[in-house]
Every structure is written in C-alpha cells, then in structure tokens.
Amino acid sequence: MLILLLAAGAGIAASRKGDKFYKDARLLEAKKEWEQALDLYEKAILEDPIHIGYQMGARRVRFQASQLRVDAGQKLRQEGKLREALAEFQKAYAIDPASAIADQEVRRTLQMLQQQEQKGQPPEAERGLTPAQQARKQSEERIGLMQEAPELRPISRQPITLKMSNQPPRILFETISKLAGINVIFDSDFQAPGRNFFVDLNNATLEQALDYVAVQTRSYWKPLGTNTIFVTQDNVTKRRDFEDMVVKTFYLQNTTTVQELQEIATAVRAVTEVRRLFTYNGQNVVIIRGTVDQVALAEKLIQDLDKPKSEVVIDVVVMEMSKTRSRELAAGIANGGVPGLNLPVQFTPRNPVLSGAQTTDTTGTGTVQQPINPALGGGFGGFGGFGGFGGVGGFGGFPATSGATQNPAISLARIGRISTNDFSLTLPGAIFKAIMSDREGRVLQSPQVRAVEMQKASLRLGDKIPFASGSFQPGFGAVGAGISPLVSTQFQFAEVGVNVDITPKVHGGDEVSLHVELELSTVRERIDIGGLQQPVIGQRKIIHDIRMREGEVNLLGGLQGLTESRNVNGIPGISSIPGLRRLFGSESVEKIETELLIALIPHVVRSPEITPANLRGISAGNDQTVKLTYAPKEEARPATPPPPAAPKPPASAAAVPEQPLPKATPAAPAASAVSSAQLVFQPTGARGQVNGQVILVLNVAQATDLFAAPHRVLFDPKILRLEEVIRGNSLAPDGQKLNFTPVVSQERGEASIEISRLPGASGVNTTGPLILYRFTAIGKGTTQVTLADLNLKNSANQPIAASAPSAAVTVE
C-alpha cells in the first residue's frame, strides 16, 4: 500500500508539473513564439509521455516553428545571402523532419551554391534567384524584347501637298517617301500598270497619301520599320505572303459564364473573319492571331462587348390580411355529442351462451371447445388430476382463456322464451351549445432581392415541410408484424412560405422588365391518411411579366375573397318547424374574408457604361480585307517663350509723356478648377414607410479625368438610419481596384466617404453611379439628404468644380 501511494503521488506531481509547462506553452503560442512554446510542450511530454493534449500541442506548434524558419530563409535568399538562408532551412528541417518544404529548400539552396562556385558570382540582382526563377526571368526578358507590328515614324509629320501628272506608280511612291523622309522598297515581282497616273494631294498625312496612291495603282504597302515601307501588288496571294500577323491575349473582366465568353468569341470571329481565335474558360481569356488590323478591330469589339451587366435591387412587399368569424348554436336531444335523435337497440339475452371460450384438459387429452354459462361462475376443470364441478366463483375451475371472442347467444330451447327483458337501448342525453369566434391576422413581409440582368435570383423565406410521396411493401415478414409504416414510406419536402424567383432585364438604364414567379404558401391543416399526418398546403402563385420604370411601384394580386357557409343539423321534420328547430337542432355560420396585395419596386444600381466611342462607327476596309485608318496623333507643342522685356530708357533721355495704356481684356480666371462635373441624387425625391428601405444613388455625369471624390453625406438620424454604402462603377469602368473607405456615424447622422483610384492610375472620363446609399426609415417626417465637403479631384490632384446635390426623403 505504501509503494502504491508513493507511486500515485509521484504521478500526480509529474502531472502537475506537466500542466504548468502546458499552460506556459499555451501563453507563448498565443504570442506566436513558436519555438519557445515547442520547448515547453516537449518538456511536458517528458513528464507525461501519454498525455494526448501535450502531444497535440507539440505537433501543432512544430509546424509553425518550422515554417517560421522557412520564411526567414526565403527572405535571406532573396537578399542574396545563400549561406545564411541555408542555415535557416537546416534549422527548419531539424525542428520538423516531416516538412517537405524545408527539405526542398535545403536541396535548392545547395544547388545554387554549387552553381555559384562553378560559374562565378552572378550579378547582385540575380544572387537570390533559384534556377527556375532565373529561367523565368530570362523568358520574361525575351518576351519583353519582342517587337510589336512596325509603325512608321517619319522624320517629318508636316502635311503633304503634292500635284503630279502622268507619272508611273514607282515615281509616285518614291516622291511621297522623300517628302516624308522615309525609304521605299519595291517587290521584285511588282509590275506597274501599263499607264501613268495623276495625283493631286492637299494637306494629307503620310499614311493618307500612301493609301491614295495605293488605291489608284492597285498596290499594297506595309511598313518594314520605323522609316521604311514595302510596296507590292494588291492581291490575295501577295497579302497572304507579306501581311504581318500578330498575336494578342485579351483578358475579359465582366463575363461570368462560359456561354458569354463563347458568344463574344463567336461575334469577334464573325465580324473580323479571323481564322485563329481560341478561348480559355479558366481565366476568361480570348487569344487571337491575325493581321494587325484584324486584331485591332477585335480589340475594339471586345471593349464594346465586355461590359458589366446591369444589376437591379427589387423591393418585394407582401401584405396579407385574413378575418374569420364563426357562430355555432345547438340545443336538443343528442347521443354521443351528435345533435339529433339516435336510439340504438341491442340484443342482450339474460342467460347467453358465449361462444369462443376454451378450457384446457389437464389430463393430456388436448384442448376442448365447450360453451360456458356465466351463471356458473366457472366451468369444468381439473384439480390435482380429478375433474370436478366448480362452485360459485369458479373454485376448482379455470376461467376461459383471455382474448377469446365471446358472442352472446342463446340455446335453441330458449327461443320461445325471448321477451323485452332480452333487449336493451341507450337513451339520448341533452345538449346545449353556443360558441362564437372572431379571428383576424395580418402578414407583412418586405424582403429585398438583388439580381444581375438576365440571371434568375431566388428568395426563399419559410420552412420545408415533409410529406409522404409513396410507399412500398417489404418482401418479408407478415403484414403488420411489428413493422413501422415509416420504414416503408418515402418522403419529400415542400417549401412553404414566401418563394420569389425574379429575372430582370434593364432597358436603357431607366426601365426594367421583370419575369416574376411569386408563391405564397401556408400549412392550412393536417389530415390523417393511412395512419400518417399529411399537411394540406394552401398556395397562392403568380407568374407575371411586367415592364416598369426605375423606382415605380407595381401592384400584383390585390385578391379579395369572401366565403360564407351555413350548416344546419337536427331531427328531420322537427328541425323544420320554426318554433322548435332551435330546440332540436344545431346551426353553424362561418364567414371568412381574405385580402392579398404584393408590391414590386425595382431600383437600378448598376448599368453598363456605353461611351460615344462604343457607338461610333469606324472604317473597316472592304469585303475581302480588314483595313483600319487612324487619325493623326497630336504632337506636343513646345511652350511659347515669353516676349522679351522692353529695354529701359537711359537716364539721360528726355522725359517722354506717358501714354495711356490700352485696356486689358479680362483674363481667364485662375485654374482653381480645371474642369467641371455634375452630381445628382436619383431619385431627387424619395418616399418610404417606417421600417422600410429608402435607396438613393449618387450619379456623376460629364466628369473628365476624375480621380477621387471624397465627401460627407448628412441625414437626420431621427428619421433615417444609414445601413449600407455601396460603391458604383463610375470610378472603375476599366475594372481597376479603388480605395474605398466609408465611416458611418449614426448618432451624428453623417458618413465620411473616401473613394479614389489607386496611386499611379490615371483619371477616367465617366458618367454613371458613384455611390449607392441604403437607408432604413425609423421615424415619420420629411428630411433632406445632402452632401458636404465635396472635393472632386483629377489625376493631377487638381480640384474639379461640382455642386453638392441634395434629395428630399418623406417617411409616412
């Protein structure tokens, strides 16, 4: 006993010491001091090696400690400190030998050290690169050296004015090239037509002049470099031999499905007639190989088609009212709670013979069926092996077996003695009943659905109710032999509540078409079918296609129902007598009134930005060849030097009478605002209900080089509560990320909004939604939502003039 007590005490002491190490390790783990925590976990394991908590903690921290060393080694290797990095990777492997990344980094760093010893010290910028990174860098350098299609850069961009008559094509091309300071090379197979041409050019660019001559002489020219062109005959064979081909990858940003990407690819392929076009669905990429003009036209088409889809927020308001009144009156003779006269007569003989009783023969002769007279109180039976006649109460006999069917019967000898004493009836009781009930219910639900154009949005508010959909009979066992009906019954689930499916389509930014499937269902009652309680589901369903303006309220349903029922029960004949029908009958009257109203309110929160460049038609060549023409680029003009100051007259000069200075024309105002923009709330006047939603959209229009739009929005906190601030796409039509930080103060009734493009990005020329504000109406009244501290800026951090708008909100 002493040895056992000492051993138990030693175990408790070790456990307490291990718990202390474990507790300290948890604290270090919370501070992310992984290696120190690992040391304490290992000490705890030494105290109690079979403690599962200690082992789990050590395994958890071991990975973190090893990974910390791996991260430190990778950072040192990037700095070119390979030996220090190798030491960190080796420590990581020593901490966690199961770390595959630590083993891999050790081998990779050793390989880099061996390459340095063999090939010498690499440049400082490449010391920390792994072999794979070096190969990738070389590949990127080669890709960066790849040239685009050659573009002419003549010495002179002065407009060409030239008039020549009766000259061959070679002379025309050479003359124009010399005027622009470029070289011209002719194809060895170039054959000029058998006649000369007349050219009269006035203020034409180089490209225009070359195109004019090429059209006249049926020639084809292409740039070979920045100062050289190549001229040959214009036919299909020569174009196929000499026309440059380019490859370009387009990353689409707004397609969400494979079908959309394929439709854009099909449209581009059909319009540009490019033969090599491929799509990569994983990254929404279109890869095109074609001529310079085909790829340029494809780029324009992709920019026109790759637009963000419109988005719509739909407020769904469901209002339902039901009112039920019932009255029930009953009086008169009733049996079993049923009004009316019901007198059942039963045959109850005085000395019946009960058939179906059994007695057991204890002598071993078997079971014998025999009638038993209940007046004897028992029957023939055996006691100790001797048959006997049981006395009153069945002493010495055995009663009939329980559960046997006993039907009252009489012997044939007593048929002539049947009298009224052998029959019985049940006299009815009386009932008086008067009940009146009045029930009234109201349902108000206002869910909100946000949907993308031409994509179905579903909203389910309610429960799933199980119901039996089928059953099968098992192929074994007797019917009803302890088998539950739930084992062989199949169930499905019905969605009960508010089910909304909406597919929107936006027309021009201010009208919306909606395909609406709205279903309201409730469980009316439950009925017993085959021993199972089945729900009876009441359903109201609307499938509707509507078109309405943005913010317009559309009412669906408006269904009113009135049901009246009257039920009369009673004794035939007597219940029809005016004076007695109230005493010998019952009457129930029920009146049900229902009214259903559904309102839909759409709000357009996003629409594609269609610019004038998207709508403008461009020249695209002829039926056989895609040929684009470009406007001349505007060159930067040198700044005009200030005029020299007038020399001062010498001091000895005679005084000259002062001449009146000419009146200066009013100078343009200082460039405090280099451009202007328009801001407006939509709608300018909004109405809402208490606890309802109020949505205001801040739109910007005619903004040039817009870069940032910080501001504050002010509202009445007693009437409105700002729930959400959502940025629009007007500052990011190109899909770039934005700096967007809203800070809302409900107590002061204001929100500070910081929204701008990322540093280094250019400004945008934009028109569209800037910010969406979603309020909840919390009090009745009329208030103004205004902007303050509005400070629009362009990419040069210069202010853009704009007036702060306001919107009136009325809450009823």
Side-chain angles (χ1 to χ4, degrees):
M1 291 292 293
L2 181 59
I3 293 174
L4 292 176
L5 290 176
L6 291 176
I12 294 174
S15 177
R16 290 177 180 175
K17 192 173 182 180
D19 289 343
K20 183 179 183 304
F21 290 142
Y22 179 77
K23 183 178 180 182
D24 295 340
R26 292 295 299 270
L27 294 176
L28 292 175
E29 183 180 356
K31 297 178 182 179
K32 297 185 178 181
E33 298 179 3
W34 309 114
E35 293 189 22
Q36 296 86 339
L38 179 60
D39 293 338
L40 293 179
Y41 278 128
E42 290 178 345
K43 292 180 180 179
I45 292 175
L46 291 177
E47 297 294 337
D48 191 355
I50 63 174
H51 196 289
I52 189 63
Y54 301 164
Q55 297 178 8
M56 292 176 61
R59 292 178 181 177
R60 181 175 62 250
V61 175
R62 190 183 306 279
F63 168 78
Q64 298 289 351
S66 176
Q67 191 64 33
L68 183 64
R69 290 288 185 178
V70 170
D71 295 340
Q74 291 175 345
K75 185 177 180 181
L76 290 172
R77 189 175 62 191
Q78 291 175 0
E79 297 173 356
K81 303 176 181 179
L82 298 184
R83 298 193 179 279
E84 293 85 346
L86 179 60
E88 291 292 334
F89 293 141
Q90 290 174 344
K91 291 179 181 178
Y93 185 77
I95 292 173
D96 187 7
S99 176
I101 184 64
D103 182 39
Q104 181 180 0
E105 295 294 351
V106 168
R107 290 185 282 104
R108 183 178 297 166
T109 308
L110 288 173
Q111 183 181 3
M112 294 172 64
L113 288 172
Q114 292 175 0
Q115 289 182 354
Q116 287 188 7
E117 293 176 357
Q118 296 173 0
K119 299 180 180 180
Q121 191 75 4
E124 184 177 356
E126 299 181 2
R127 291 179 185 176
L129 298 180
T130 64
Q133 291 174 340
Q134 290 179 356
R136 184 176 182 85
K137 182 181 179 182
Q138 294 174 1
S139 176
E140 292 176 352
E141 291 176 351
R142 287 194 301 269
I143 293 174
L145 294 175
M146 293 180 182
Q147 297 293 322
E148 299 178 353
E151 181 181 357
L152 277 179
R153 295 179 183 177
I155 297 175
S156 175
R157 277 290 183 183
Q158 294 296 327
I160 296 175
T161 301
L162 178 64
K163 185 175 182 180
M164 299 181 68
S165 61
N166 197 23
Q167 296 294 332
R170 285 180 177 266
I171 300 299
L172 297 178
F173 277 110
E174 289 175 351
T175 304
I176 294 174
S177 300
K178 289 179 180 179
L179 290 176
I182 62 174
N183 304 317
V184 58
I185 299 176
F186 293 94
D187 184 14
S188 59
D189 297 334
F190 179 70
Q191 297 179 359
R195 64 185 182 89
N196 296 336
F197 297 91
F198 173 83
V199 173
D200 188 359
L201 301 176
N202 187 18
N203 291 330
T205 64
L206 172 61
E207 289 80 4
Q208 291 173 346
L210 293 175
D211 289 339
Y212 295 158
V213 175
V215 170
Q216 281 186 308
T217 62
R218 295 177 182 251
S219 303
Y220 162 66
W221 69 273
K222 55 170 283 188
L224 293 181
T226 58
N227 62 346
T228 304
I229 65 172
F230 173 80
V231 179
T232 185
Q233 292 176 334
D234 188 6
N235 54 53
V236 177
T237 302
K238 292 297 182 180
R239 282 188 175 271
R240 185 182 299 114
D241 293 341
F242 294 105
E243 200 164 23
D244 291 329
M245 304 291 285
V246 295
V247 177
K248 191 167 184 179
T249 303
F250 299 93
Y251 293 89
L252 280 66
Q253 299 178 351
N254 298 299
T255 56
T256 56
T257 62
V258 176
Q259 179 183 357
E260 295 174 4
L261 181 62
Q262 295 298 332
E263 288 178 355
I264 291 178
T266 302
V268 172
R269 184 185 291 110
V271 174
T272 62
E273 295 184 353
V274 64
R275 292 182 299 169
R276 296 175 178 88
L277 185 150
F278 306 93
T279 59
Y280 175 49
N281 301 329
Q283 295 291 335
N284 286 340
V285 167
V286 177
I287 305 172
I288 300 177
R289 182 177 185 267
T291 65
V292 177
D293 290 328
Q294 284 178 333
V295 174
L297 180 58
E299 183 176 10
K300 197 266 181 188
L301 293 176
I302 289 175
Q303 288 186 357
D304 293 343
L305 298 176
D306 187 26
K307 299 286 186 181
K309 286 187 176 182
S310 300
E311 295 186 29
V312 182
V313 172
I314 303 120
D315 294 329
V316 183
V317 182
V318 180
M319 294 170 284
E320 183 179 8
M321 184 189 72
S322 62
K323 190 173 183 179
T324 304
R325 293 181 179 179
S326 62
R327 185 191 66 186
E328 185 175 357
L329 299 176
I333 301 173
N335 185 15
V338 179
L341 188 60
N342 184 10
L343 301 177
V345 179
Q346 300 177 356
F347 179 61
T348 55
R350 290 168 289 178
N351 295 313
V353 177
L354 302 180
S355 62
Q358 298 180 357
T359 58
T360 302
D361 185 4
T362 57
T363 60
T365 59
T367 302
V368 180
Q369 281 277 8
Q370 52 183 329
I372 301 175
N373 193 329
L376 301 178
F380 295 99
F383 180 81
F386 298 96
F389 183 80
V392 179
F395 180 79
F398 294 91
T401 304
S402 61
T405 302
Q406 299 181 359
N407 297 321
I410 61 174
S411 62
L412 293 176
R414 296 184 58 85
I415 290 179
R417 302 179 183 179
I418 296 177
S419 65
T420 57
N421 293 327
D422 296 315
F423 294 91
S424 63
L425 60 84
T426 302
L427 295 178
I431 184 174
F432 179 78
K433 187 177 183 181
I435 298 176
M436 183 175 182
S437 64
D438 189 351
R439 299 189 304 272
E440 182 175 352
R442 298 179 182 178
V443 177
L444 174 62
Q445 294 180 338
S446 57
Q448 191 178 70
V449 181
R450 180 164 180 162
V452 180
E453 184 178 17
M454 299 304 296
Q455 294 185 8
K456 183 172 71 172
S458 300
L459 178 66
R460 300 289 185 266
L461 300 176
D463 304 315
K464 285 190 174 182
I465 305 299
F467 64 92
S469 60
S471 61
F472 62 92
Q473 179 64 38
F476 58 88
V479 177
I483 299 177
S484 172
L486 299 179
V487 177
S488 57
T489 304
Q490 299 173 348
F491 288 90
Q492 292 184 0
F493 291 86
E495 294 180 344
V496 176
V498 180
N499 301 326
V500 183
D501 293 327
I502 299 179
T503 305
K505 170 67 178 176
V506 179
H507 306 278
D510 58 352
E511 289 194 1
V512 181
S513 293
L514 299 177
H515 175 75
V516 183
E517 296 184 10
L518 192 145
E519 177 183 339
L520 302 177
S521 56
T522 57
V523 178
R524 298 290 187 185
E525 59 179 329
R526 293 184 180 272
I527 59 176
D528 191 313
I529 300 178
L532 296 176
Q533 292 291 327
Q534 298 292 319
V536 177
I537 300 175
Q539 184 185 63
R540 296 183 179 91
K541 188 172 184 179
I542 297 175
I543 300 178
H544 201 32
D545 288 286
I546 53 178
R547 178 167 176 168
M548 65 183 77
R549 295 185 63 83
E550 195 270 341
E552 182 181 354
V553 179
N554 184 80
L555 300 179
L556 298 177
L559 304 177
Q560 294 182 350
L562 177 60
T563 303
E564 294 185 0
S565 61
R566 182 170 176 266
N567 187 15
V568 177
N569 295 323
I571 302 174
I574 299 178
S575 60
S576 302
I577 301 174
L580 300 178
R581 66 178 183 177
R582 295 293 185 183
L583 299 178
F584 295 95
S586 65
E587 180 182 11
S588 63
V589 178
E590 186 175 20
K591 183 177 181 182
I592 302 175
E593 299 179 13
T594 59
E595 184 174 0
L596 176 64
L597 183 64
I598 303 168
L600 299 178
I601 309 171
H603 305 280
V604 179
V605 296
R606 181 192 296 272
S607 60
E609 182 182 5
I610 308 299
T611 63
N614 301 133
L615 302 175
R616 182 172 58 91
I618 61 173
S619 174
N622 52 45
D623 182 68
Q624 299 296 327
T625 306
V626 175
K627 180 69 172 69
L628 303 182
T629 56
Y630 297 90
K633 296 182 179 180
E634 296 184 359
E635 298 182 357
R637 297 180 179 179
T640 304
K648 294 183 179 180
S652 61
V656 179
E658 184 178 357
Q659 299 293 332
L661 297 175
K663 293 183 179 181
T665 58
S672 59
V674 297
S675 60
S676 62
Q678 296 180 3
L679 292 177
V680 63
F681 276 116
Q682 186 180 8
T684 56
R687 306 182 70 89
Q689 302 288 337
V690 176
N691 297 327
Q693 301 292 323
V694 177
I695 295 178
L696 297 178
V697 180
L698 179 62
N699 288 325
V700 60
Q702 301 178 1
T704 302
D705 194 24
L706 181 61
F707 183 84
H711 61 277
R712 288 190 305 129
V713 59
L714 306 179
F715 57 93
D716 189 353
K718 297 181 181 179
I719 299 178
L720 299 175
R721 182 174 68 247
L722 184 56
E723 300 288 354
E724 189 176 13
V725 180
I726 304 174
R727 70 171 181 87
N729 64 341
S730 58
L731 259 185
D734 51 358
Q736 298 293 328
K737 293 183 178 180
L738 299 178
N739 288 326
F740 180 64
T741 307
V743 179
V744 180
S745 176
Q746 302 290 356
E747 295 78 11
R748 295 195 302 268
E750 67 177 31
S752 298
I753 312 298
E754 292 290 336
I755 179 171
S756 65
R757 294 174 65 84
L758 295 179
S762 60
V764 292
N765 301 334
T766 184
T767 296
L770 181 64
I771 299 290
L772 181 144
Y773 305 94
R774 185 170 65 86
F775 296 90
T776 297
I778 59 176
K780 295 183 179 181
T782 301
T783 182
Q784 292 284 335
V785 177
T786 60
L787 295 187
D789 300 337
L790 181 62
N791 188 15
L792 303 184
K793 294 183 179 180
N794 61 9
S795 58
N797 202 25
Q798 295 174 331
I800 298 177
S803 58
S806 63
V809 179
T810 302
V811 180
E812 300 174 348

